[in-house]
Amino acid sequence: MNRITRQIGLISRQQQKHVRTAATAAQSTPRKTWSRSPASTTAKKIPATPAHPASAAAPVEAQPEGLEEPLPEIPVEYDFDPSLVESRPPARPQPSASAEHAPPPHLNAIPSSPSFPSESIIYSINSVPRNSYPSPQHVPTPYPVPAEQRQVDWVTSFHGMSAQPFSKEAAEALMRPLLAHEIEIKPDGLIYLPEIQYRRILNKAFGPGGWGLVPRSELTVMKNIVSREWGLVAGGRLVSVARGEQTYFDPSGVPTATEGCKSNALMRCCKDLGIASELWEPAFIRQFKATHCVEAWTEHSVSKKKQKRWRKKGNKFEYPYIESK
């Protein structure tokens, strides 16, 4: 056993000695610095021939370390001709007159080359003068609109306000006295004119399309109320500005409350035109309620709760309220 151990140790020491000798010889051998001579870097002019992958010179491999004799230098030749870069491909031939009337190819046929627009078409498009294109100012409108109205921004402008009074016919339609059957009363005793009546009066005074409401602010949505500012435009000029409001009880009711907010703003704008102005007169309110309305006790058919409610004479309370006797 000891003899085998000594032989193994002798072999390992001999291997280590050979390794150290090879490393010392490699360090003592000077390395040659590779440099390319000026003559080899000069481009060699060759006739203009199409470049081919087979004609390219093989890449020079790096000189491995540890060789005593380096490989000889190989001059590098560049197959580069500036004329090949500057030259352009020949233009695509234009179709002849007979080709224009040729029948179209079969639908299943495969085209031999991709279809690109010819240079003549591109040049013809670029050669069109810029002034020949129609501008928005020259586009005809379906109906004549004055220039001052096309430039009005109704969100911020007060164009035409108090410029001139309306015609006599329009003023009579706006300020006519209300009829008894047009006025309604709420259960709490507040009399009002339905929103549709305001629109009918405006249509009679200015005609359908002769007036409109324009929003002048963003919609303000709070906890249980929405509000927005609207402007009433009639005859191409601003007539009145008012803010409408409407309550809601559920987020899904915001769209309906937004429409109610618009109707409320219309009612307030119509006050400046004299529409239903008597509804704000205390004397008219007392007389109308005494003549055309009555206050009575009612009972809720489910909860049996009693309370006083207003109604017009000749009308009855609707379910679930029943008039007490």
Side-chain angles (χ1 to χ4, degrees):
M1 185 68 181
N2 296 335
R3 182 179 179 182
I4 295 174
T5 305
R6 287 195 299 271
Q7 289 180 357
I8 293 175
L10 179 60
I11 292 173
S12 60
R13 285 194 298 272
Q14 290 179 357
Q15 290 178 351
Q16 294 176 2
K17 181 178 180 181
H18 288 302
V19 171
R20 287 195 297 269
T21 303
T24 305
Q27 294 178 0
S28 61
T29 302
R31 296 182 180 180
K32 184 176 181 180
T33 304
W34 288 81
S35 62
R36 185 172 294 176
S37 60
S40 61
T41 59
T42 305
K44 181 180 180 180
K45 294 184 179 180
I46 61 176
T49 56
H52 195 273
S55 62
V60 181
E61 297 182 357
Q63 175 68 16
E65 298 181 2
L67 295 181
E68 298 180 359
E69 296 181 1
L71 297 177
E73 296 183 1
I74 300 176
V76 180
E77 297 179 357
Y78 299 93
D79 296 340
F80 177 79
D81 187 4
S83 61
L84 297 177
V85 179
E86 297 177 359
S87 62
R88 299 178 62 183
R92 185 183 299 273
Q94 300 296 332
S96 59
S98 60
E100 296 179 357
H101 303 283
H106 196 268
L107 297 178
N108 296 331
I110 301 176
S112 58
S113 60
S115 56
F116 296 98
S118 60
E119 296 182 0
S120 60
I121 299 178
I122 299 176
Y123 294 155
S124 63
I125 294 176
N126 296 334
S127 61
V128 176
R130 189 180 300 272
N131 297 333
S132 62
Y133 292 101
S135 60
Q137 299 178 356
H138 297 85
V139 176
T141 55
Y143 52 89
V145 179
E148 61 272 8
Q149 295 185 17
R150 293 199 301 264
Q151 301 175 0
V152 174
D153 182 11
W154 295 114
V155 177
T156 57
S157 176
F158 292 87
H159 171 74
M161 178 168 281
S162 70
Q164 61 181 357
F166 292 113
S167 62
K168 183 179 179 180
E169 294 77 9
E172 290 179 356
L174 295 173
M175 296 185 299
R176 70 169 179 83
L178 297 178
L179 303 178
H181 70 274
E182 296 177 340
I183 305 174
E184 298 292 338
I185 187 170
K186 293 184 178 181
D188 58 356
L190 179 64
I191 62 175
Y192 67 98
L193 185 68
E195 178 267 338
I196 191 61
Q197 295 293 341
Y198 290 97
R199 297 181 181 273
R200 290 175 179 174
I201 295 173
L202 291 173
N203 287 334
K204 187 175 182 180
F206 306 110
W211 65 276
L213 282 174
V214 292
R216 296 177 62 91
S217 68
E218 296 294 336
L219 180 66
T220 303
V221 181
M222 291 179 284
K223 184 177 180 180
N224 57 353
I225 191 173
V226 297
S227 66
R228 193 174 195 178
E229 184 177 315
W230 294 84
L232 177 61
V233 180
R237 53 196 180 99
L238 187 66
V239 176
S240 178
V241 178
R243 176 172 286 274
E245 59 183 359
Q246 181 65 36
T247 57
Y248 69 95
F249 303 97
D250 188 81
S252 61
V254 172
T256 304
T258 303
E259 188 67 19
C261 172
K262 180 180 178 181
S263 300
N264 182 252
L266 176 64
M267 178 198 67
R268 294 179 177 180
C269 288
C270 287
K271 289 191 299 183
D272 295 341
L273 298 179
I275 300 177
S277 58
E278 55 266 35
L279 298 182
W280 282 265
E281 294 181 6
F284 177 84
I285 295 174
R286 289 192 295 266
Q287 181 183 1
F288 181 83
K289 293 174 68 173
T291 306
H292 302 281
C293 302
V294 62
E295 187 180 18
W297 283 95
T298 60
E299 181 181 354
H300 196 277
S301 59
V302 178
S303 62
K304 305 301 181 180
K305 184 178 180 180
K306 294 184 178 182
Q307 62 177 352
K308 279 189 173 183
R309 299 174 69 90
W310 284 89
R311 62 173 177 84
K312 292 181 68 175
K313 292 181 179 180
N315 296 343
K316 296 181 179 181
F317 293 106
E318 297 181 357
Y319 181 84
Y321 296 98
I322 302 174
E323 185 172 354
S324 301
K325 297 182 180 179

